[in-house]
Amino acid sequence: MSEEPVFVRSGWGSGRYVYNHRNPIGRALIVLAPLVALGVLYGVRAESTWSEGELRDAVQQGVADLDGKGHYTSLAGDRGFLIAEAIRETGIGPRYGVDTHKEDDGGYTVGTEDTDTEYCVHVTLTADPEPPVVFPGSEDLPPPGPDMLAFYVSHSTFTEGACR
C-alpha cells in the first residue's frame, strides 16, 4: 500500500483538498466519483420525466380507477382535473406534468411535454342514485341543475390519439 495520503492540498494556491493521484484509493476515487455523479443525475432525470409506457399505463389505470367513482362536483365544471388527479393517484410516472385540454367533442386530450403520444379521455357524469349524504325527511331529491354541486358517478373511456 502506498504511503501517500488519499487527499492532498491543491497545488493551485487555493488551499483546498483534492484526490491524490499517487495513491491507489485516490486514483479510484478520481474515476468513480464522476461515474457515480452521472448515475445519480441519470436516475433523477429518469424519475422526473414521463416515458411513453408510463403515460400509457397511467392513463389506462387512471381511467379504470375513475370509472364508477363518486364525485361531489357540478355538471358544468371542467373534468380535466378529475382525469389529471386519477392519473396522479396511480403512482405511475412523475407526480406532475400531465396536461389535459378540453376539446369540442367533450373529450379531453391528455399528454405530457415529455412524450409525443396523446390519449382522448371521455368522462360522463350521472347523478348518484345513492348519494353518501341523505338529508333526513327528504324522499326524492330534485335533479340537480348544471351549476349545482351534487354527487355524481363518473363513467370514463379512453382511446389513443388526440380528441377530434
Side-chain angles (χ1 to χ4, degrees):
M1 184 106 187
S2 173
E3 295 298 321
E4 291 281 336
V6 176
F7 300 99
V8 294
R9 285 199 182 265
S10 172
W12 293 85
S14 65
R16 58 186 185 147
Y17 284 90
V18 295
Y19 297 131
N20 184 0
H21 67 278
R22 292 183 185 97
N23 183 301
I25 296 173
R27 277 193 303 270
L29 290 173
I30 289 170
V31 172
L32 291 178
L35 294 176
V36 169
L38 287 173
V40 168
L41 289 174
Y42 178 77
V44 167
R45 183 186 181 284
E47 288 296 318
S48 64
T49 58
W50 284 93
S51 70
E52 300 286 340
E54 285 176 333
L55 180 61
R56 179 191 62 242
D57 294 344
V59 168
Q60 184 177 13
Q61 185 175 339
V63 167
D65 293 347
L66 192 59
D67 194 38
K69 187 175 182 181
H71 305 280
Y72 186 68
T73 187
S74 69
L75 288 175
D78 182 22
R79 296 184 193 120
F81 76 93
L82 292 175
I83 298 166
E85 183 64 24
I87 291 171
R88 198 173 11 262
E89 287 178 356
T90 64
I92 300 171
R95 299 271 187 241
Y96 56 89
V98 175
D99 300 322
T100 59
H101 302 286
K102 186 172 184 175
E103 303 296 340
D104 293 336
D105 71 347
Y108 291 83
T109 299
V110 177
T112 67
E113 290 182 3
D114 304 326
T115 60
D116 294 330
T117 306
E118 294 179 320
Y119 295 91
C120 181
V121 178
H122 287 273
V123 177
T124 56
L125 298 175
T126 58
D128 193 344
E130 297 177 16
V133 176
V134 177
F135 299 104
S138 64
E139 295 295 323
D140 293 328
L141 294 174
D147 291 331
M148 282 181 55
L149 290 175
F151 291 98
Y152 295 97
V153 176
S154 61
H155 305 283
S156 55
T157 59
F158 79 99
T159 57
E160 189 169 341
C163 298
R164 308 252 182 258

